[in-house]
Amino acid sequence: MTVIDNLRERLSTARPRPVDAMPIEPVGWAEHQEGVDKLLASFRAVPADKRVRLAKKTSNLFRGRSEEQAGLDVSGLGGVIEVDPVARTADVQGMCTYEDLVDATLPHGLMPFVVPQLKTITLGGAVTGMGVESTSFRNGLPHESVLEMDVLTGTGEILTCSREENVDLFRLFPNSYGSLGYAVRLKIKLEPVPAYVELREERFHTVEEASRVLADVASSHTHRGEPVHGLDGVVFSEDEAYLVFARFTDEEGPTSDYTRDKIYYRSLQHASGIRRDRLTIRDYIWRWDTDWFWCSRAFGAQNPKVRKVWPRELRRSSFYWKLVRLDRKYELEYNFIKKPHGKPRAERVVQDIEVTPENLPEFLHWFFNASDIQPVWLCPIRLRDGVDELVGTGDIASSSSDPWPLYPLRPGQTWVNVGFWSGVDGDHVDPSAPNNGAFNRVIEAKVNELGGHKSLYSEAFYSREKFEELYGGNLPATIKAVTDPDDRFPGLYEKTVDEA
Ligand SMILES: Cc1cc2nc3c(=O)[nH]c(=O)nc-3n(C[C@H](O)[C@H](O)[C@H](O)COP(=O)(O)OP(=O)(O)OC[C@H]3O[C@@H](n4cnc5c(N)ncnc54)[C@H](O)[C@@H]3O)c2cc1C
């Protein structure tokens, strides 16, 4: 198949999902059971000595993924099973996208406690992969609002786990990236939300001041006397940072729409002081998806002339992903733009790291001096109060003093997620080994030096020793010996560092 044929096919199979809300009907329990039966049948069809993996249509995983393992049929596990508006809970299938989940809950005036920014991230993926969003400073991470989960383990059983039942699996599942099994059903708590969000976007001229205010609001939940329900920020340079304070409200009023000509991240930029804006709650939830934060600019989608003809329903992260995959397969940028000008391949730099607010200024100064990448996204995170009631529960996890032992976050401590999704030119790349992740390694070392860590959805280079120090020591291996004694799934290190 030629590049053009491939491009044509990808464009034609792009999901024609409308930009605006779409009614999502719960599938109900009988259909859910059929989906589980299909999954189990596909698991049993794989020889017992062969490894298995998910056969999913979408992914937001940036590192490589082995195609050698046999794919499990999860085609019947992408829906919402039931929403209970009185108890404010939802039973959701593991591969349900947040886009569908939000469209099923918003008509009840409810939304998940944390909704990651990209529409095709699934509930199971966010719970096992530590999703974050602007409500994470008060609502923690997606796994913290899970009440119970059904997980397909390596023994082919479906185990229900919660704070009371199979507690080890429940506590060790977050950040396990499918190495302990796949969530097929999750019961989650939902938060009541009003129709609108009022945004106050404040400009800071130093990253020190922005970091100080970020830390303060992350623990006080107020700013200049007003409540803050959502908090994140964008930094364009050492002297241009914005924090966005979101207040959920039912007050009527005009709203902006960044799914059309205007571009959300650009709208934040102003000379000084505070700029105000308003969005519907749904547009607030998906404000970053339309232009994949800012990554759509690499495809020309922010050029006014191109934007006019770019179909509105294809302004979405899942479509840009398809273009990225195509570029990775055929090295389009290198072959058509860089190579003819004698330029080397660029190194992809797609990472989310976490440091404390005290260390954030040092990281940002260092980062902007070490690369031309800009802007970067800031999102404060705090585990929810009361999670320490988990410490000491479970047989295996009880040896850890962290409630969620596979990821180094402690209650009472604010961390700031810093996201950057771009690349650097060849001068950062070791010419003798152009694809060795040279600048990514330097970033990892700097984050280590600052006592931070990073999300494992992208490339990582940790030694086993350092990895164990950060991500749960021998606990992943210990529980795997129980839930996956025959190694049907790759181990956590293998999966996230060795890219199995
Ligand atoms: C450019 C970029 C930007 C990102 N930005 C954000 C962001 O702003 N906020 C955020 O929260 N995240 C972000 N992510 C990370 C994303 O949340 C994680 O990669 C997440 O795990 C993706 O979930 P998915 O549903 O797309 O799963 P996939 O990409 O399909 O899989 C991710 C991993 O989870 C495992 N997995 C998937 N489903 C299940 C399941 N049901 N049970 C157990 N394991 C499962 C898979 O085996 C795999 O190891 C970003 C990623 C990229 C590439």
Side-chain angles (χ1 to χ4, degrees):
M1 197 187 265
T2 66
V3 180
I4 300 297
D5 290 341
N6 202 323
L7 180 61
R8 233 183 241 132
E9 186 187 303
R10 274 167 200 255
L11 293 175
S12 67
T13 57
R15 199 173 172 210
R17 179 80 151 75
V19 177
D20 304 310
M22 192 173 106
I24 294 293
E25 288 302 319
V27 297
W29 290 96
E31 206 170 311
H32 171 60
Q33 193 51 51
E34 282 172 26
V36 173
D37 291 343
K38 243 197 298 188
L39 172 74
L40 288 174
S42 70
F43 183 90
R44 289 184 197 120
V46 180
D49 58 350
K50 218 171 166 217
R51 284 201 155 161
V52 292
R53 67 173 177 88
L54 292 178
K56 245 170 112 245
K57 281 195 203 136
T58 59
S59 172
N60 290 281
L61 204 60
F62 205 79
R63 56 187 149 76
R65 197 173 210 175
S66 168
E67 295 296 322
E68 279 165 25
Q69 303 140 16
L72 297 178
D73 182 352
V74 289
S75 58
L77 294 172
V80 176
I81 306 169
E82 183 177 74
V83 178
D84 182 339
V86 178
R88 291 181 185 160
T89 58
D91 279 277
V92 185
Q93 294 184 298
M95 320 301 155
C96 179
T97 63
Y98 273 96
E99 183 174 32
D100 286 350
L101 179 52
V102 162
D103 278 347
T105 61
L106 276 189
H108 300 285
L110 299 167
M111 76 174 218
F113 273 51
V114 181
V115 180
Q117 297 79 355
L118 311 181
K119 289 177 172 174
T120 59
I121 291 180
T122 62
L123 181 58
V127 166
T128 198
M130 314 301 287
V132 296
E133 225 294 85
S134 62
T135 55
S136 288
F137 73 103
R138 60 182 180 87
N139 282 343
L141 274 64
H143 61 268
E144 294 184 82
S145 45
V146 173
L147 295 169
E148 68 177 26
M149 257 184 303
D150 291 341
V151 177
L152 168 73
T153 66
T155 57
E157 294 164 280
I158 304 270
L159 287 185
T160 301
C161 62
S162 68
R163 286 171 168 78
E164 285 83 38
E165 195 180 354
N166 292 310
V167 180
D168 280 327
L169 185 56
F170 190 71
R171 286 184 61 191
L172 297 171
F173 192 81
N175 207 41
S176 67
Y177 278 93
S179 61
L180 300 180
Y182 296 119
V184 298
R185 175 191 67 96
L186 303 97
K187 188 184 196 77
I188 57 165
K189 288 197 277 185
L190 301 171
E191 179 176 58
V193 281
Y196 302 105
V197 182
E198 187 196 77
L199 306 180
R200 278 172 299 128
E201 300 154 357
E202 184 160 351
R203 162 108 192 226
F204 295 88
H205 297 273
T206 68
V207 290
E208 282 74 13
E209 182 64 356
S211 304
R212 194 188 57 69
V213 174
L214 190 75
D216 180 46
V217 179
S219 37
S220 69
H221 299 188
T222 64
H223 180 55
R224 298 181 189 270
E226 291 194 42
V228 177
H229 301 115
L231 174 62
D232 63 350
V234 179
V235 188
F236 289 83
S237 66
E238 289 173 274
D239 58 11
E240 189 184 1
Y242 301 89
L243 294 183
V244 181
F245 307 102
R247 182 173 68 88
F248 293 178
T249 174
D250 265 325
E251 290 152 30
E252 295 288 334
T255 52
S256 300
D257 180 352
Y258 295 100
T259 64
R260 296 176 191 275
D261 297 344
K262 291 188 289 178
I263 296 158
Y264 177 65
Y265 82 102
R266 286 289 175 210
S267 78
L268 301 179
Q269 291 188 277
H270 58 274
S272 63
I274 295 178
R275 174 186 177 268
R276 288 180 184 266
D277 200 355
R278 278 170 61 84
L279 293 171
T280 64
I281 184 80
R282 190 172 183 277
D283 281 354
Y284 176 72
I285 290 172
W286 300 128
R287 68 203 180 286
W288 291 122
D289 189 80
T290 311
D291 282 288
W292 203 9
F293 288 85
W294 31 83
C295 302
S296 70
R297 73 185 163 189
F299 312 107
Q302 294 175 21
N303 174 322
K305 285 188 187 138
V306 178
R307 198 169 184 84
K308 272 208 166 22
V309 294
W310 194 294
R312 195 166 158 248
E313 62 276 15
L314 296 185
R315 286 177 211 156
R316 51 184 284 136
S317 61
S318 57
F319 181 67
Y320 307 126
W321 248 123
K322 287 176 197 280
L323 300 180
V324 167
R325 292 216 182 91
L326 209 59
D327 177 57
R328 286 171 95 162
K329 188 164 178 186
Y330 296 106
E331 294 202 82
L332 298 175
E333 190 194 13
Y334 174 64
N335 284 324
F336 293 101
I337 300 173
K338 295 200 176 266
K339 204 170 154 189
H341 293 96
K343 288 191 176 167
R345 283 182 177 81
E347 177 187 345
R348 273 188 301 269
V349 180
V350 173
Q351 298 285 349
D352 277 66
I353 64 104
E354 277 147 26
V355 290
T356 59
E358 301 75 49
N359 288 326
L360 181 61
E362 181 175 341
F363 179 76
L364 292 173
H365 287 303
W366 173 84
F367 187 77
F368 286 126
N369 283 296
S371 78
D372 299 328
I373 296 175
Q374 57 79 24
V376 302
W377 184 61
L378 303 181
C379 183
I381 309 171
R382 281 173 76 88
L383 289 187
R384 298 188 66 196
D385 291 339
V387 285
D388 45 359
E389 75 213 21
L390 274 171
V391 171
T393 62
D395 293 331
I396 297 170
S398 63
S399 66
S400 171
S401 55
D402 295 337
W404 311 101
L406 298 200
Y407 204 69
L409 299 179
R410 304 241 151 71
Q413 165 76 63
T414 301
W415 289 89
V416 186
N417 183 100
V418 185
F420 34 93
W421 312 288
S422 186
V424 286
D425 272 334
D427 51 344
H428 292 273
V429 180
D430 175 357
S432 61
N435 283 324
N436 72 350
F439 189 55
N440 282 283
R441 285 173 196 267
V442 176
I443 296 171
E444 199 173 280
K446 184 66 188 175
V447 172
N448 270 339
E449 183 194 315
L450 294 175
H453 50 264
K454 62 186 201 184
S455 303
L456 297 176
Y457 72 81
S458 190
E459 288 129 317
F461 308 92
Y462 293 115
S463 66
R464 269 198 190 265
E465 205 181 20
K466 184 68 197 172
F467 189 86
E468 288 186 4
E469 188 188 313
L470 288 172
Y471 304 107
N474 63 356
L475 293 179
T478 314
I479 184 153
K480 207 161 152 54
V482 180
T483 58
D484 185 21
D486 299 321
D487 273 341
R488 303 299 301 279
F489 311 118
L492 183 59
Y493 184 84
E494 247 181 300
K495 233 180 153 167
T496 58
V497 182
D498 291 346
E499 300 190 354

